[in-house]
Amino acid sequence: MSERRARPEHANGRRSVWRRAPAPPQPPSSKTAPPAAVPASAEPAEVASVVQAALYRDGVRVSSPATLADTYRELRDQPSGMAWIGLARPTDAELLSLAAEFDLHPLAVEDAMEAHQRPKLERYGDTLFVVLRAARYLDAPEEVDFGELHVFVGPDFLITVRHGAAPDLSAVRHRMEDSPDLLKLGPEAVLYAILDAVVDGYAPVVAGVQNDIDEIETEVFRGDPEVSRRIYELSREMVEFQRATRPLVGMLHGLIAGFSKYGTDEELQRHLRDVADHVTHTSERVDGFRQALADILTVNATLVTQQQNAEMRALAQAGFEQNEEIKRISSWAAILFAPTLVGTIYGMNFHDMPELSWGFGYPFAIGLMGVVCFSLYVIFKRRGWL
């Protein structure tokens, strides 16, 4: 790598594809300015995205450049040093500048620009490109927030490109700087620490999701009407969580095989195998969560169906009882209507009604009323209306 830095930039044929990288075009008025003003105008864009850049030698920080240009220059002056550059949502110009300086592959740089990549591990020559999906549990809304991290690992540099709030790599940097024996193992050790931090960040998420599932089970049997929506939203989050953890299992096993192939420190290999075990355990837990949520959703659907059936039965029973009451009311109304009809007819007092002067007219009317009422009562009683 020292030979690469010693060569002038125009002599490096591998950088020709990134000729547009270093700085954005200057306005026409800058033509009269001295040449030194061109790189100075590019520095504000670098500072905006560079979270932290540092140079290390033998596991100890020796410099903290403020810009990418300073990092490039100081790394060239430190043949045995290692650069660790951290960026958050960098601009395309910054990524192209990094690609030109460290000979990063165009496909990897394109992935880092676009983001929204699935976890993967790819090797381009002597550079590793790693995509990780970090996760964190938000207590207030009770949901899982996912972030994306791209890592370029070379012989003497490590570049992290973060898209999202997670993960917080400042703790990783502090941990590594407090362990110079581990840090002096090089970029592979930093990559291990980042993987370990991402995987350790899954533990609070697993605990939070487990608590959510316990609450959902209680809400299901309590009959909470909003529980179906919560189950669906948590299931969607578990799909994303599964996409973040499942590919990581194969990635770590491939990385372990590569560490063995290239003779990486044995202790570092053991640490990486421990991270792989944790990822496998987390992936199994996530698979279990998805199955548990599917079972809970089935149980909830069954309980909702049973509740709906019970409500339908109650409505049917209420309708049946209402019909019975209507039958009783209608029967008594018909019985009472018969004497009213007879009385109304004989109450018209027409002169041509022969029954008015009949001596048995009154008993006959009363008897007729009684016979009609009794007959209707018997009929309604036999039909079960009374």
Side-chain angles (χ1 to χ4, degrees), residues 99-122:
E101 177 65 25
F102 297 109
D103 301 325
L104 304 180
H105 196 278
L107 294 177
V109 176
E110 182 180 355
D111 288 344
M113 288 179 179
E114 296 180 357
H116 303 292
Q117 304 294 320
R118 299 194 68 178
K120 61 181 179 179
L121 170 66
E122 296 179 350

Side-chain angles (χ1 to χ4, degrees), residues 74-293:
E74 294 186 23
L75 185 59
R76 295 189 187 100
D77 297 336
Q78 300 285 340
S80 60
M82 179 192 73
W84 182 353
I85 303 172
L87 302 98
R89 300 183 180 91
T91 63
D92 292 352
E94 289 170 336
L95 288 175
L96 292 173
S97 175
L98 290 167
E101 177 65 25
F102 297 109
D103 301 325
L104 304 180
H105 196 278
L107 294 177
V109 176
E110 182 180 355
D111 288 344
M113 288 179 179
E114 296 180 357
H116 303 292
Q117 304 294 320
R118 299 194 68 178
K120 61 181 179 179
L121 170 66
E122 296 179 350
R123 178 177 289 276
Y124 299 98
D126 58 357
T127 302
L128 282 177
F129 177 60
V130 182
V131 179
L132 302 173
R133 295 293 304 276
R136 59 174 182 162
Y137 186 80
L138 305 178
D139 292 323
E142 294 185 337
E143 62 184 22
V144 183
D145 178 56
F146 295 93
E148 190 169 334
L149 179 66
H150 298 184
V151 186
F152 296 90
V153 185
D156 58 350
F157 67 88
L158 184 135
I159 304 169
T160 60
V161 180
R162 181 161 53 87
H163 298 274
D168 181 11
L169 297 180
S170 59
V172 178
R173 192 182 290 269
H174 293 156
R175 171 193 173 188
M176 295 300 292
E177 291 180 351
D178 292 339
S179 306
D181 292 338
L182 182 61
L183 184 57
K184 71 180 181 180
L185 295 178
E188 293 86 357
V190 180
L191 176 60
Y192 148 73
I194 293 174
L195 288 167
D196 189 44
V198 171
V199 173
D200 286 346
Y202 293 155
V205 179
V206 170
V209 172
Q210 181 64 67
N211 184 66
D212 287 347
I213 291 177
D214 293 340
E215 292 178 355
I216 286 174
E217 289 178 342
T218 303
E219 293 173 359
V220 165
F221 290 101
R222 190 185 298 164
D224 191 336
E226 296 294 330
V227 70
S228 297
R229 180 176 181 178
R230 189 176 181 187
I231 295 173
Y232 174 75
E233 292 175 349
L234 189 57
S235 298
R236 289 284 302 273
E237 292 175 356
M238 288 304 98
V239 171
E240 291 295 324
F241 202 6
Q242 195 174 51
R243 291 174 179 172
T245 57
R246 180 173 290 180
L248 198 54
V249 177
M251 287 171 50
L252 284 170
H253 285 93
L255 193 58
I256 292 171
F259 277 15
S260 301
K261 178 180 178 181
Y262 292 100
T264 307
D265 183 78
E266 182 63 30
E267 185 66 20
L268 191 57
Q269 295 184 42
R270 282 194 286 268
H271 285 319
L272 198 59
R273 284 193 291 269
D274 181 65
V275 175
D277 291 340
H278 290 170
V279 171
T280 302
H281 176 70
T282 301
S283 180
E284 292 173 351
R285 291 291 302 275
V286 175
D287 292 342
F289 289 156
R290 286 200 63 186
Q291 184 61 45
L293 288 171

